[in-house]
Amino acid sequence: MSEFTIIKNYFQVMTKRHKNTICGIGDDGAVSDVPSDCELVSCVDTLVLGRHFPMTTSAYAIGYKSVAVNLSDLAAMAATPYAILLGLSLPAKLACDEWLGEFARGIGGICREFGVELIGGDTTRSDVLTVSVTALGFVHKGRAITRAGAKVGDVVCVSGEIGSASYALSQVLIDKPTAWQHTLDLPIPQVTLGEVLRDYASAMIDVSDGLGQDLGHILTASGVGASIELDKIPCIDELKVLPDNQKWQHILNGGDDYQLCFTLSEENFKRLNSINPYAIFAIGKIVDGQGIELFHKGKLIEFEIQGWEHFK
Ligand code: ADP
Ligand code: MG
């Protein structure tokens, strides 16, 4: 199958035209209209088969997740997703209808769900399957939520259960089927909550490399510390029954959660709870100092935070 056939048959037809797109797939570059009251938020994430995905991952899940992780980054900036560009490095044996059809269905599915258009990309042959997605979104001028705004006294929250994908991966790696496979393969980016938090949060990040490490990024960027109550971090029952250290390993160091971790003032926390239809979970407080203090049953505990790192 030629590169041009691939583009025409699978990618050009995949998503609906977005109202801000002037020129999409088919020319040398895409042309987009940035609303005059907005700023452009952009991010890129590259996924390598065997490194970011178990070799057994379905083509559908690879397509879906490579977009989902980018929409999660946009959500963490409180941006509204607009479009993606797809850099695809494809082994020859996957350039077939069976694989590409499912891959495109995964990408198209999540794009449609969030009103995102595929406006361009690049297709090359390679020995290793690599999917690099660039995502673009809009946020009203000056309203992006960064990692740098957390203040002493703020409440630290997460948007949902943490550690499920890490638990699922541990089961996949020993060939055990698990009901939590979907949290690993098909994470739901918290786009709507991210948009709501634009009016409430003081700092925000998405949890991709482990809650401990990612919260650490907020603390470093904001120049503060945090006091976290481990028992308040929401998690699935399968994790609750594990020995404490194994449980915390999944929750604090696991990663691939794609939930949001954010801080907000006590007042905004109350305000948001009174109107918000989404579940948000307070897990601790921002304090003076640096780093994370972890409490279990009211007692300070020692646990080494060690998130995902590529070049260890
Ligand atoms: P060029 O040689 O000018 O870089 P290409 O022939 O690579 O252009 O691409 C032709 C068109 O197809 C461009 O609009 C490009 O953005 C789009 N395209 C190529 N690969 C992909 C892909 N994997 N997904 C989406 N669009 C793609
Ligand atoms: Mg060109």
Side-chain angles (χ1 to χ4, degrees):
M1 204 181 311
S2 85
E3 175 193 339
F4 300 105
T5 311
I6 293 176
I7 296 167
K8 186 162 153 287
N9 290 356
Y10 297 98
F11 300 137
Q12 205 149 15
V13 292
M14 195 145 77
T15 55
K16 263 180 49 192
R17 185 46 62 89
H18 189 284
K19 66 180 186 343
N20 290 76
T21 304
I22 295 154
C23 171
I25 292 179
D27 218 306
D28 293 304
V31 182
S32 309
D33 188 27
V34 180
S36 60
D37 54 346
C38 285
E39 291 166 341
L40 180 70
V41 181
S42 46
C43 58
V44 59
D45 246 307
T46 302
L47 300 170
V48 179
L49 187 67
R51 178 134 194 96
H52 302 94
F53 292 108
M55 298 305 279
T56 51
T57 311
S58 71
Y60 180 90
I62 292 174
Y64 176 101
K65 187 170 176 180
S66 59
V67 177
V69 300
N70 277 283
L71 299 189
S72 178
D73 277 326
L74 291 181
M77 301 304 292
T80 300
Y82 150 58
I84 59 162
L85 294 114
L86 169 64
L88 181 62
S89 305
L90 194 67
K93 67 171 192 301
L94 298 184
C96 59
D97 186 59
E98 198 188 349
W99 196 88
L100 280 168
E102 279 301 288
F103 175 72
R105 200 168 69 79
I107 293 198
I110 185 162
C111 281
R112 271 191 298 280
E113 203 176 313
F114 289 95
V116 167
E117 180 183 355
L118 176 66
I119 57 169
D122 191 35
T123 307
T124 59
R125 190 168 146 174
S126 144
D127 291 340
V128 184
L129 175 69
T130 305
V131 185
S132 185
V133 172
T134 300
L136 308 174
F138 302 129
V139 66
H140 285 103
K141 284 192 169 151
R143 302 298 308 282
I145 306 288
T146 69
R147 299 173 179 184
K151 304 260 180 329
V152 173
D154 281 358
V155 183
V156 180
C157 295
V158 293
S159 58
E161 284 158 344
I162 304 292
S164 319
S166 171
Y167 172 78
L169 179 62
S170 71
Q171 300 306 101
V172 169
L173 293 178
I174 54 170
D175 280 332
K176 269 205 188 156
T178 163
W180 299 104
Q181 180 85 35
H182 63 95
T183 63
L184 180 64
D185 286 346
L186 308 171
I188 301 170
Q190 300 297 305
V191 169
T192 314
L193 179 61
E195 290 171 328
V196 169
L197 288 170
R198 198 181 294 164
D199 295 326
Y200 296 89
S202 52
M204 178 149 61
I205 193 166
D206 70 316
V207 183
S208 53
D209 296 338
L211 177 62
Q213 177 168 303
D214 288 328
L215 173 59
H217 292 316
I218 287 186
L219 303 180
T220 308
S222 303
V224 293
S227 161
I228 298 298
E229 290 182 58
L230 288 168
D231 312 304
K232 286 197 175 164
I233 302 174
C235 69
I236 56 176
D237 289 341
E238 284 83 344
L239 285 177
K240 286 181 187 148
V241 298
L242 290 181
D244 284 342
N245 270 298
Q246 273 183 46
K247 175 172 66 186
W248 296 334
Q249 183 63 24
H250 285 298
I251 291 175
L252 294 170
N253 292 340
D256 253 3
D257 298 292
Y258 303 104
Q259 295 291 344
L260 295 172
C261 174
F262 53 95
T263 60
L264 70 185
S265 67
E266 195 80 61
E267 188 193 338
N268 277 355
F269 178 70
K270 286 197 194 113
R271 219 159 52 88
L272 180 57
N273 263 323
S274 66
I275 62 129
N276 170 43
Y278 313 95
I280 60 166
F281 303 87
I283 61 167
K285 277 291 186 61
I286 293 294
V287 297
D288 233 334
Q290 55 182 20
I292 306 176
E293 285 179 331
L294 297 170
F295 290 89
H296 170 49
K297 295 183 176 154
K299 276 220 293 276
L300 187 65
I301 62 137
E302 285 287 327
F303 183 83
E304 192 186 358
I305 287 171
Q306 202 175 45
W308 172 263
E309 223 277 272
H310 285 274
F311 297 104
K312 264 190 312 219

